[in-house]
Structure formats: structure tokens, C-alpha cells
Amino acid sequence: MAGAEEPRVRLPQLKLDELFKELQARIDAARGTRDRVRSLLEAVLSVGRELDLEHALHSIVEAAAVLVDAEYAALGVIGPDGRSLSAFHTVGVTEEQIAEIGPFPEGHGILGEVIRHPEPLRLEKISQHPASYGFPAHHPPMNSFLGVPIRVRDQVFGNLYLTEKRGGVQFDEEDESVLSTLAVAAGVAIDNARLYEESRLRERWLLANAEITHSLMSGSERAEALKLIAERAREIMGSALAAVAMPMAATESLTVEIAVGVDAEAHRGLVLPLSKTLMGLAFSAAEPVTSDDVRQDERISPDPPRFHGLGPAVAVPIGTRDGGVRGVVLVARETGAPVFLGEETQKLQGFAAQAAIAMELAERRKDAEQIAVLQDRDRIARDLHDLAIQRLFATGMTLQSAGRFIEHPEAAERVLRAVDDLDETIKIIRSTIFALRARASAVDAGLRARVVDVVGEKTPVLGFTPSVRIEGLLDTDVPSQIADNVVAVLSEALTNIARHAHADRAQVALTTDGREVTLTIADNGVGIPPDGRHSGLRNIAERAEQLGGHLDVSSPDGPHGQGGPGTGHSAHVPRPLVGAA
């Protein structure tokens, strides 16, 4: 039929709008997924570029917050015990807020839940979980939560914590999946950063060992090498203080020869027993000895106070049990710093062992040089005896025989004088030969050892062990007469403290600056009464005056140490150079 209309399919307008909306939603979802995948890839690349561990950790936290659109993010590093957090990196909280909140969390509550059960954890409201621990004062409010563990080589390194998804919505499965993917990439990045850090650290230790070996083998003094050991150990271990103690000959004690860093002056010259002290135990056992807090450690003597603001410490022997221990190096970090881990201690111990080998090689080289000098002296003495003296003697005999044939009186007299001169020359050469062939005889104990022995003898009478500090070239530069008087003065002063002071602490300091010797004895006893007997002090003063020095005595009015006003004796003696008139 002409003009007939074809049938049309008509959809309701509402149905068409719904289809368009669904299509648009799917397009937006696809675009969002594409954008999120791109963001995830960018975050993985950004995290993987970091080689510095601290920067890598901060980069991971920032990327996590952006990927799941969280207002607050944190990365907690699990400590060696596997139960608490040793470090905490945050995003979204200002420095002012952190200062108000107080110390970083240790791993309780929800944070500890992810540590105990290293699996993803997603919560709508933190406070509703049974493990919720609550928040400290000034902490911003947090409700929604997403936690994911970070594994490095199948070991849980730490956890990512995300809270408060922006827009008031909850974290979903896609957020959890994206964050878990980032955690895998973060584990690889952390492993790379740690390997890089270990290689750089190993390189620094090798360079330090090479520097010390070169210093010793080039003929530097032992004190310079020990200072180099202390400085490099302090720098590489990130410590505030480093000290090196060496054994004292003929005693059971160590003396701190080198100290650098915080309170270094209080450590230098300090004499420490081998037992019941941190450095002494490391020397005796030939093994590292650690302390979590030196201020509270019973193995650290209270006098003199010398660990202000310091906490973790480790003492490592210089050498090994088989090869012999030559000394001890101690390093200490500031209060609140991480304790020394076993891996760090092993590296320091290896460094100290290499330093001991370098010291032994340098000593063997010096011994070889000394042997060469002695052998050369023997050769010279032998040549003088076998050649020069025999020729001179023969010449003298010839002149003496020829003198009988000389008729002129003056000529005969001159020949006889020449014979006498030859005899005198022979005597001088023989004296020189004797000096060249002389060997060093046994020497008495040095002043350092004698001072330590006196303190040890008086300890039972005192009822406590005085602290001892010794500085300067006392054994080599102080003449025997002055050394004898120093020992006598020390003995008399400690006896007076035992008899009259009623003290429970005393300090002995013996120092020389190249111009004078100073012996200082201080205690925290009752002081010197003005009407008491002063015969002992007169004896000490007379000894000092005989040597051109003087005695200073002080008795402060206020407290001195603990237990009383205290007394101070200080004897100063000018020290002439050895051999001076």
C-alpha cells in the first residue's frame, strides 16, 4: 500500500539515559584504572631510583599516600627483636604536631597487630578493633586504616600504614591490591639501597685500613696511628665519641691514650682495670662488649663523669685472641641513637683486627731496622778492633823502638809524646767499641706502672678504688729523682685520705705538659681541719720545694662529689729535660 510507514523501534528516553550513564561510568572506570596503573608504575620507578636508604623509605611513604589517596601515611621499620619498631617515617603530620605528640610509636595496638600478623589489614574504624591501643594527646583523629607488610628477601622489613582516605570513603580491595604491589616494589628498592649502602660502607672501611697501614709503614708515631684509628671508627660508625686504650707495661691496667669527640678531655689518660670495665673486659676476653646505655652501665665508673649525652656504646679489641690483643677501641653514640647491631660490630672488629696487623708489621719493620743498626755497629766495632787498633798499636811500638836510636833530646821527647797520644787514642777507640757493643740492660718499671701499683696497694686500706688519669711522656722524660718523689707523695697522700678523710671517692691525676709534672689527688671527705696536724702535708711540701716546685692544698666549703667538702692536693714540680744539668 502506497504511503505506508515502516515500523520503528522506540526506546523510552529514561532507558537511553541509563545506558549512556553506564557507558560513561565504564569509560571513567577504565580511564581511572589506566591512570592508577600509570601512577603505580611511576611510583615503582621513583622508588627504584633511590639508592640512599633513608631517602628510599621516605619516597615509599609518599608514593603510598598518593596511590590510595590517604591523608596520613607511615612506614615502620621493625627492630632486631622482631616485635617493635626501630624507625618510623611519616607523611601528613607536621613537625610541630610530631613534637606535640611525643616519641614515635614502638609497635603497640593496631601497628603491633600488623607486626604480629604480617598480612594486609583493612579497617573501617580503628577504635573498633580489639587490638586498638588508643592515640596519645595531640594526635590527629584517624578512623579508616590500611596496613600492608613490606618483605625483603622473604623477611619482613617493616609495614606501610595508611589512614583517613580522602573524601570520607573507605579503603577498598583495589587500594589494598595497589598498596600490596607497591610493597613488593618497595622491598626490592630497599634491598638495593641496603646493598649499595653496604658496599659503600665496606669501601670506607677498606680505605680507612689502607690509610692506617700507610701511616704506620711510612714511619709515623704510634700515637698518630691510634688517633687515626679513633677518628675513622667514630666517623664510619656514626658515633659521638671514640677512644683507644692500650695496656700499661707491668700492670693489669689499660690507659686511654687517644679520645676524640664528646668529653674527649675527660677520657684521655684515664687508667682502667682489666676487670669490671667495658674496655677492660673487651681486652681480657678478646671479644666485643656492648652497652645499651653507658650512663646506666655498672661497668662504667662514675668518676670522672665523662659520658654526658651518650647512650649506646661498644668496645672492640684491637687484634684477635690467637694473634694477641694490642688494645681496645670504644665508640659511643648520642642518647636515643640506635644501639650497635651485630653486623656493625663485626665490621668494626674486622677494622680493628686489620689495624692490629698493620701495627705488628710496623713493629717488625722497626725491629728489623734496629737489628740492622746493631749489626752495623758490631761490624764497625769489629773493624775498629781488628784493623784500626792493631795498626795504631803497631805504629806506637815502632815509634817506641825507634826512639832509642834518636840522639837529639827534643826529637826523642816528641816521639815519646806521639807514642803516648797513640795510647790515648787506642783507649778512646776501645771505649767507643764498648759503647757500640753495649746492650740495653733491664730497666726499672716506669712511672706510670709505679703509680698504678701504689693505687692498687692503697685500695684495700681506702675501701674503694680511686680513679686514675695519667697523661704525658712520663716514663721517658721524667728523671728518676722526680719520679721517686712523685711516688712517695702519692703514697703519703692516699694514706692520709684513708686515715683522716672518711671519703668514699678519690681521684688521682698525674700529668706533664713538657715543662712541669703535676700530681693532683682529690677526695670527697671531710676536708682538712684548721687546727689539725699537718706533718704529712709539710713532708709533701718539702719534697716539692726541694725539686723547685710547690704544693697547693684546697678544702672547698661546699659539697664536693658526694659525702663531704673534700680535699685537694696538687704538687707541681718543674721538669727538666732528661740529661739536662
Side-chain angles (χ1 to χ4, degrees):
M1 181 176 178
E5 295 183 359
E6 296 180 1
R8 296 179 179 178
V9 178
R10 295 185 179 182
L11 294 176
Q13 185 68 31
L14 182 60
K15 186 71 173 178
L16 187 61
D17 290 342
E18 289 178 356
L19 289 174
F20 275 122
K21 287 180 180 179
E22 183 179 351
L23 179 61
Q24 185 65 42
R26 292 188 178 185
I27 293 173
D28 292 340
R31 185 182 293 113
T33 301
R34 182 198 63 187
D35 293 342
R36 197 160 200 184
V37 170
R38 181 184 299 165
S39 299
L40 178 60
L41 291 175
E42 290 177 353
V44 169
L45 291 174
S46 174
V47 167
R49 282 194 293 265
E50 291 290 349
L51 289 177
D52 181 83
L53 183 58
E54 292 298 315
H55 290 168
L57 296 179
H58 193 71
S59 177
I60 291 168
V61 178
E62 290 181 335
V66 172
L67 282 176
V68 299
D69 201 21
E71 186 174 354
Y72 304 105
L75 192 157
V77 180
I78 298 176
D81 60 1
R83 299 187 301 273
S84 60
L85 298 177
S86 61
F88 203 71
H89 303 266
T90 62
V91 168
V93 184
T94 64
E95 294 293 333
E96 291 77 11
Q97 287 177 308
I98 292 174
E100 289 180 349
I101 294 171
F104 283 121
E106 297 179 358
H108 302 294
I110 298 298
L111 305 187
E113 183 70 15
V114 184
I115 295 174
R116 292 185 293 272
H117 306 285
E119 299 292 338
L121 177 63
R122 184 156 39 97
L123 301 174
E124 293 184 4
K125 196 172 184 63
I126 295 175
S127 60
Q128 294 178 353
H129 194 278
S132 178
Y133 195 78
F135 295 107
H138 308 291
H139 196 285
M142 295 181 180
N143 292 299
S144 57
F145 174 86
L146 176 59
V148 173
I150 298 176
R151 288 181 170 83
V152 177
R153 298 188 181 186
D154 297 329
Q155 297 291 327
V156 179
F157 172 84
N159 298 303
L160 279 171
Y161 305 110
L162 287 302
T163 61
E164 292 299 289
K165 187 175 177 67
R166 299 182 189 276
V169 297
Q170 298 293 324
F171 294 108
D172 54 22
E173 291 183 3
E174 187 176 349
D175 293 327
E176 182 179 319
S177 176
V178 168
L179 200 61
S180 297
T181 304
L182 177 66
V184 174
V188 176
I190 290 170
D191 192 29
N192 289 338
R194 289 168 69 177
L195 290 173
Y196 177 74
E197 190 175 79
E198 288 176 5
S199 66
R200 290 292 304 273
L201 187 61
R202 190 179 301 110
E203 181 183 0
R204 293 182 68 187
W205 283 123
L206 290 174
L207 290 174
N209 277 320
E211 187 178 6
I212 292 167
T213 302
H214 179 268
S215 174
L216 285 167
M217 299 306 291
S218 62
S220 299
E221 295 295 329
R222 187 184 73 163
E224 295 180 11
L226 295 180
K227 184 177 181 181
L228 199 56
I229 291 172
E231 288 175 345
R232 295 299 173 266
R234 175 173 172 259
E235 292 169 4
I236 299 175
M237 296 292 287
S239 304
L241 169 74
V244 176
M246 304 298 287
M248 293 178 61
T251 68
E252 294 293 319
S253 304
L254 301 173
T255 178
V256 180
E257 295 192 9
I258 300 294
V260 293
V262 176
D263 278 346
E265 289 293 336
H267 290 266
R268 292 193 192 106
L270 196 63
V271 176
L272 304 170
L274 295 183
S275 61
K276 300 180 181 179
T277 62
L278 207 63
M279 300 182 84
L281 291 173
F283 182 88
S284 302
E287 295 178 353
V289 179
T290 60
S291 173
D292 292 344
D293 189 352
V294 288
R295 296 171 304 166
Q296 307 297 329
D297 200 314
E298 295 180 353
R299 297 167 295 181
I300 301 295
S301 58
D303 286 327
R306 58 194 186 278
F307 285 101
H308 298 295
L310 300 180
V314 60
V316 171
I318 301 176
T320 61
R321 187 190 303 274
D322 297 333
V325 180
R326 294 176 171 272
V328 178
V329 57
L330 176 142
V331 290
R333 289 172 176 161
E334 295 178 347
T335 302
V339 298
F340 290 96
L341 302 178
E343 187 176 352
E344 291 180 297
T345 303
Q346 287 178 1
K347 286 185 171 63
L348 178 61
Q349 188 176 10
F351 166 71
Q354 290 295 323
I357 293 173
M359 293 170 68
E360 183 174 357
L361 289 175
E363 289 177 5
R364 295 288 178 88
R365 180 179 177 180
K366 287 184 178 180
D367 290 342
E369 292 174 351
Q370 184 66 24
I371 290 173
V373 169
L374 294 175
Q375 289 175 343
D376 198 41
R377 287 181 178 180
D378 283 342
R379 181 188 59 78
I380 294 171
R382 186 170 57 253
D383 291 346
L384 286 174
H385 181 272
D386 296 343
L387 301 176
I389 288 182
Q390 299 302 327
R391 288 196 173 195
L392 289 173
F393 186 75
T395 302
M397 293 291 291
T398 302
L399 288 175
Q400 195 173 18
S401 298
R404 293 195 293 262
F405 300 101
I406 298 175
E407 297 180 357
H408 196 284
E410 290 186 6
E413 184 181 354
R414 288 185 180 182
V415 170
L416 290 176
R417 282 204 305 267
V419 172
D420 292 339
D421 289 341
L422 287 173
D423 287 340
E424 191 64 30
T425 302
I426 290 172
K427 291 180 181 179
I428 293 173
I429 293 176
R430 281 177 172 166
S431 298
T432 304
I433 292 172
F434 179 78
L436 287 172
R437 287 180 170 173
R439 295 293 182 265
S441 59
V443 296
D444 294 334
L447 180 55
R448 288 171 176 263
R450 295 173 66 186
V451 167
V452 174
D453 287 342
V454 169
V455 172
E457 291 172 1
K458 299 299 179 183
T459 295
V461 181
L462 290 165
F464 59 88
T465 303
S467 66
V468 182
R469 185 167 60 88
I470 301 176
E471 289 188 65
L473 302 176
L474 295 163
D475 290 344
T476 57
D477 287 358
V478 178
S480 59
Q481 181 186 7
I482 294 179
D484 293 340
N485 280 278
V486 166
V487 172
V489 168
L490 174 61
S491 178
E492 187 159 2
L494 293 178
T495 300
N496 288 341
I497 292 174
R499 290 178 178 176
H500 310 296
H502 304 292
D504 59 8
R505 286 188 184 182
Q507 299 176 4
V508 176
L510 178 61
T511 62
T512 179
D513 58 1
R515 295 183 299 273
E516 67 177 19
V517 179
T518 302
L519 174 64
T520 304
I521 304 103
D523 66 81
N524 66 341
V526 297
I528 301 175
D531 55 349
R533 295 178 58 189
H534 296 164
S535 57
L537 294 179
R538 279 197 301 271
N539 293 337
I540 296 175
E542 288 175 0
R543 287 181 181 274
E545 290 169 1
Q546 288 173 2
L547 298 172
H550 62 278
L551 171 69
D552 296 331
V553 180
S554 61
S555 183
D557 295 332
H560 181 80
Q562 296 179 0
T567 307
H569 304 71
S570 184
H572 306 266
V573 179
R575 182 190 60 79
L577 294 175
V578 174

